[in-house]
Amino acid sequence: MISDGVEDEEKWLAAAITGLQTELLLHASRSGLEQSQRCPKILRSDALRTSDFTPFPHKYYELYMRAFDELRKLEMFFKEETRRGCSIIDLYELVQHAGNILPRLYLLCTVGSVYIKSKEAPAKDVLKDLVEMCRGIQHPVRGLFLRSYLSQISRDKLPDIGSEYEGDADTVTDAVEFVLQNFTENEQTLGADATSAIDLSGLQGPAREKERREKERSELRDLVGKNLHVLSQIEGVDLDMYRDTVLPRILEQVVNCKDELAQYYLMDCVIEAQVDMPIAGAVTLYSSLLTFTLHVHPDRLDYVDQILGACVKKLSGKGKLDDSRATKQIVALLSAPLEKYNDIETALKLSNYPRVMEHLDDGTNKVMAGVIIQSIIKNRTHISTADKVEALFELIKGLIKDSDEKLHDEIDEEDFNEEQNSVARLIQMLYNNDPEEMLKIICTVRKYILTGGPKRLPFTVPPLIFNSLKLVRRLQSQEENAAGEEVAPTPKKIFPILNQTIEALSAVPVPELALRLYLQCAEAANDCDLEPVAYEFFTQAYILYEEEISDSRAQVTAVHLIIGTLQRMHVFGVENRDTLTHKATGYSAKLLKKPDQCRAVYACSHLFWVDDSDSIKDGERVLLCLKRALRIANAAQQMSNATRGSSGSVTLFIEILNKYLYFFEKGNSEISVSVIQGLIELITTEMHSENMTPDPAADAFFASTLRYIQFQKQKEGALGAKYEPIKA
């Protein structure tokens, strides 16, 4: 029997939909209108004569949804016809003479929508006319669907505050009255009459039949609830109007309704109360309530925290959610305070904020952590205490350390880099004027980032080191101005922390990065006149170079960094400086390629001649470095001659010539005119050698150097006289 009923339902629905589409397509065509004086024919059609059917309620709902779509198309058609000259007023009058009442009222609502948009009559008058007309349908189920259609097409045409259909000062009252009247009619229909129409006796029958009947009733409830949804979106309804007018009218209808099941559904519509509400629905409710609270009571953080606490209670025992819709709503819930206050410090005051985040799965937790960091960066929020930093890093720990290593393997490399770069930017923004508190912040951050694993440390250690060095510079200045007064946190206390932090990079390993950081710390220790500390950092850098850096290109870069940093150091005594300098020159001479050796060796010449230090001006050792560089360049030249054509070694000679000229000008007595003259002649000879391939870049470089010599010769005074003997 059940299968026969299902077949009948399907046949009924198929026939109804086919008839609906055929009639609307036929009568809405241009030719149909043209053959019957444009507008009248469609208004006389029987396309929506659903009153002849004996509907199955749940199939009727499906038919209604299809009819709704088709009628929206018909509305667009009517709008086009009015643009072509068809009078909307005549059309509105004409539709009221259609023969069948149900199609007549659906068409009346459709034309009424176009009528309101035309603004040829006040919206409130047309809406009042429509809601009165709809009383003509006595059948309870069909009445529900008709009034639902009226509610949907009118929702954007209510004479609300700010609406384009707003009229006089009472328009909000008119809008509310229209929705309440439509709701009242629906509520009365949903009572005993609707109960009879859909035969609720099925609820006592087999489970399958009971499920179907409950679904039907739920669909009818949705139709009534849509009126309340429209009512909630009226901007002009303030708290006083809702309390004094709207809510009493709604509750009055609930009380007057004699059907218990209908009363339950109505109250459900008013408060969204469900004992077994799905998690996604519950979180959506809390998210909406939080948004409302932030709008109405932005200064009441206790209200916000209460809502978050209620959400935590609802999620209690659920663990990490795997419902994508629920997690999306939690992100919206947690994002709302950030967007409202533009200040993460406010969110950190909410005790239940981190408790809600605990229910996010690892992937979504990282997304939320990213939202928090971007809010801080966008608003340039300074987290100024160690306690707040602790709370913040607890919130964003999803980006600091993976709880699931498998998840990390699935992350796109580019996305991972972007996440960690945002964490690095956050670390740079942490600041407090009080050195003692700032040191606490540094130690707190260090505690978290050292748990991040080898892939994260190269992103997070450098910003922590540089932020710490900023504190060192401040403390250096304070110590100089303190006139002997001891400052609680001192550079001497901070440098060991930095040494241990950089050492953590050895597990990655990224020796080139660690070497750079050691050299940065050595330079800071130099500025603080801490020779043992600076020497220790250099020693660590040298150990890394010797034991960890094996790539030839990385070695070249590292050697030049060492030379450049060592040149700027003034804190070392003779013994320590000689030791470090000897090591640096040794590294230079052992580089793999001759050109790299040559450039590193002549760069070492600057280690023996520092302009702002009279104690470091050893002309003889400068000359030894330059001569050694010449020998290496000459060896490279011989190798290039064997390959017939390379001009790179000539460029090396020109570079060395420029170093000779630099020290010649600085007053190094070991650099004579004859040495410079001999080098110029050597370069000229090599460039005209038959084995040499023409090199425009080398030619231009040499020509520029000779022009410089000529320019210096033309100067008056001692410098010009010094250059005068050089023939170039």
Side-chain angles (χ1 to χ4, degrees), residues 634 636-646 649 686 689 691-692:
N634 190 54
Q637 178 65 10
Q638 291 176 8
M639 292 175 61
S640 65
N641 288 339
T643 59
R644 294 185 64 83
S646 174
S649 54
E686 288 294 331
S689 171
N691 293 326
M692 187 60 56

Side-chain angles (χ1 to χ4, degrees), residues 67 88 90 123 144-145 161 166 195 221 251 274 323 367 397 415 499 533 597 642 652 663 684-685 687 719 724 728:
I88 186 61
D90 293 343
L144 279 175
F145 282 94
I161 287 180
E166 182 181 3
T195 302
R221 176 197 62 178
L251 295 179
Q274 295 183 24
D323 184 332
V367 171
K397 60 187 176 183
D415 291 341
N499 199 344
V533 176
Q597 288 180 22
L652 290 176
F663 289 109
T684 304
T685 301
M687 294 187 73
L719 185 60
E724 183 60 34

